[in-house]
Amino acid sequence: MRAALLLLLIGCFWESAWAHALPRVTRVSFAPRADQSGYVIRIHTTAHVGAYQEPEWLDAHRLQFVLYYTEPAPDLQHDPPQGPVRAYTIEPRDGHLIFQFELDERVTVKAAAYRDRFSTDILVGLTVVQTDPTIAEGGRLPQPAQARTVALNKQPTASPRVADRWHLDTIVIDPGHGGKDPGAVANGVREKDVTLAVALKLGEYLERLLGVRVVYTRKDDRFVGLRERGRIANEAGGKLFISLHCNALPGNRRVHGAETYFLGLHKTEAARRVMERENSVVRLEEDPSQYDHFTEQELILMTLAQSAYLRKSEKLAMLVQEQFARRVGRVNRGVKQAGFYVLWSASMPAILVELGFLTNPKEAAFLKSKQGQAYMASAIFRAARTFKEHYEREPAFPAAR
């Protein structure tokens, strides 16, 4: 019954989408990144694109990117490729746009897509992680001699370098709230303080014991917008996004326990309340209207387009909850789904962890204590370690369908 209802909603959404003009791509341009660590491919669009598929490697040097229900403008401008991109093609297919980029064989890059904060454009960031020293004169990337046509129907081939690209080497930790946004406040404890303390401890464990690179969306008491947090994760080449929060239920001092969410439609009233409380942070941002297009219909589309990421997110959420219950003795409130804005913009497996209820005096005291914070961070670390072991057994995961 639930599957039939989902299909009906999807059908209604596509019918509505076709009844209106589809977004168009007017130009593809290239520019060096401001930090000199790679290049950005900008896909200029006339309107907001509902969903896209994350960049996937077809082989060691061919990258594919899909914009769903988008069409090329009649006067689409193809700028010459730059940096590691040697050639590229754009093919309309079944109402979608398929981009394929052929990369220089002497340059190894990581790729991530994200939305531009100030326009409807889509950006594909190419972070250069290795360059053949014989071509790195002056620290500049080689320029392509000419663009070439790439065969769009060529079958992907296995390559050891493809597998190497997808080690879980970067984890992004997002301490919820901060600065002018204290989050939940109860029993003398502020959510923003607990999340930052647990985040820093978790990052220490990940770097020291797992050897991964850790990126924080904030490392001190400052305000960071919800979409900005996802942008930080994407530009850092994150492979995993962990957002930390604390729960609250005013008027009820008894409810307690931890729960972990991944992106999707909420199924309970309680999940909806948590989602609305966390999403209400946008009222403190300069332009709350940038979230107007985050609708339930688009959420359905996104869950379809990024189903591989969501399956991994659910797996990590389950591991986190198991660790909370088994090793820290927390009440396991389960794994749930909801449309948290902070998870929308992170183009990778992503979870939101509610560490406990500050409105419960005992739980608030536990989360405020250094011991409690260390226990919670340790549990999440153990879950991430197990997840990493599973993740790296599946080198083709980013190209999963």
Side-chain angles (χ1 to χ4, degrees), residues 37-346:
S37 64
Y39 273 72
V40 173
I41 305 170
R42 178 178 290 271
I43 301 174
H44 304 251
T45 63
T46 58
H48 174 76
V49 175
Y52 55 83
Q53 183 185 47
E54 274 302 295
E56 61 177 348
W57 293 99
L58 300 182
D59 56 34
H61 306 292
R62 286 193 303 131
L63 189 67
Q64 179 169 288
F65 178 59
V66 181
L67 293 183
Y68 290 104
Y69 287 86
T70 306
E71 60 185 9
D75 56 348
L76 172 59
Q77 177 180 335
H78 301 71
D79 284 18
Q82 294 185 36
V85 181
R86 309 300 291 174
Y88 66 98
T89 59
I90 308 172
E91 181 193 31
R93 187 185 301 169
D94 300 325
H96 316 308
L97 273 187
I98 315 296
F99 297 79
Q100 288 194 6
F101 301 96
E102 181 181 355
L103 304 182
D104 191 291
E105 296 182 356
R106 298 164 294 177
V107 178
T108 302
V109 305
K110 295 180 181 178
Y114 49 96
R115 300 181 187 275
D116 182 46
R117 290 182 63 198
F118 306 107
S119 70
T120 60
D121 298 348
I122 303 293
L123 308 178
V124 179
L126 302 178
T127 302
V128 177
V129 296
Q130 183 177 346
T131 304
D132 188 324
T134 63
I135 62 170
E137 299 177 2
R140 296 180 61 83
L141 294 170
Q143 294 301 307
Q146 63 181 35
R148 302 188 303 278
T149 301
V150 179
L152 294 176
N153 59 354
K154 182 177 179 180
Q155 293 298 315
T157 57
S159 166
R161 292 188 63 186
V162 173
D164 290 344
R165 296 177 195 273
W166 292 104
H167 287 309
L168 202 165
D169 53 6
T170 302
I171 295 179
V172 180
I173 304 176
D174 172 48
H177 308 278
K180 62 185 177 182
D181 171 28
V185 180
N187 292 302
V189 184
R190 300 184 300 185
E191 181 178 1
K192 68 174 183 177
D193 298 331
V194 174
T195 60
L196 181 59
V198 174
L200 294 176
K201 181 61 68 174
L202 171 60
E204 176 194 339
Y205 293 152
L206 290 170
E207 289 178 328
R208 178 165 54 88
L209 302 176
L210 205 55
V212 300
R213 172 178 173 241
V214 173
V215 175
Y216 300 89
T217 58
R218 68 179 182 97
K219 293 187 70 173
D220 51 23
D221 187 16
R222 69 179 64 190
F223 179 79
V224 182
L226 296 183
R227 290 186 69 176
E228 176 70 6
R229 295 169 189 259
R231 184 197 64 78
I232 291 171
N234 295 333
E235 290 194 349
K239 301 294 180 60
L240 194 62
F241 182 84
I242 301 174
S243 187
L244 302 176
H245 293 262
C246 295
N247 228 325
L249 189 59
N252 190 332
R253 294 164 55 89
R254 292 179 298 175
V255 65
H256 60 292
E259 56 195 24
T260 303
Y261 289 82
F262 65 101
L263 189 65
L265 293 173
H266 61 269
K267 297 180 173 61
T268 67
E269 183 64 18
R272 182 191 64 78
R273 286 197 302 267
V274 175
M275 175 191 71
E276 289 184 348
R277 181 174 64 81
E278 300 294 1
N279 287 350
S280 67
V281 174
V282 302
R283 72 185 187 281
L284 301 176
E285 298 189 26
E286 293 182 2
D287 181 21
S289 66
Q290 64 181 309
Y291 300 93
D292 289 348
H293 63 274
F294 284 13
T295 63
E296 186 170 296
Q297 288 181 330
E298 185 168 325
L299 181 56
I300 293 173
L301 175 59
M302 182 171 289
T303 57
L304 291 173
Q306 300 192 15
S307 59
Y309 285 150
L310 297 182
R311 287 195 299 272
K312 295 297 181 181
S313 301
E314 182 178 17
K315 175 62 176 178
L316 176 60
M318 292 173 62
L319 291 171
V320 168
Q321 287 300 121
E322 289 172 5
Q323 288 293 329
F324 282 161
R326 186 167 72 244
R327 302 201 60 93
V328 196
R330 299 291 92 190
V331 169
N332 184 353
R333 293 177 58 85
V335 172
K336 304 174 182 180
Q337 292 179 264
F340 294 97
Y341 292 164
V342 72
L343 300 182
W344 283 57
S345 301

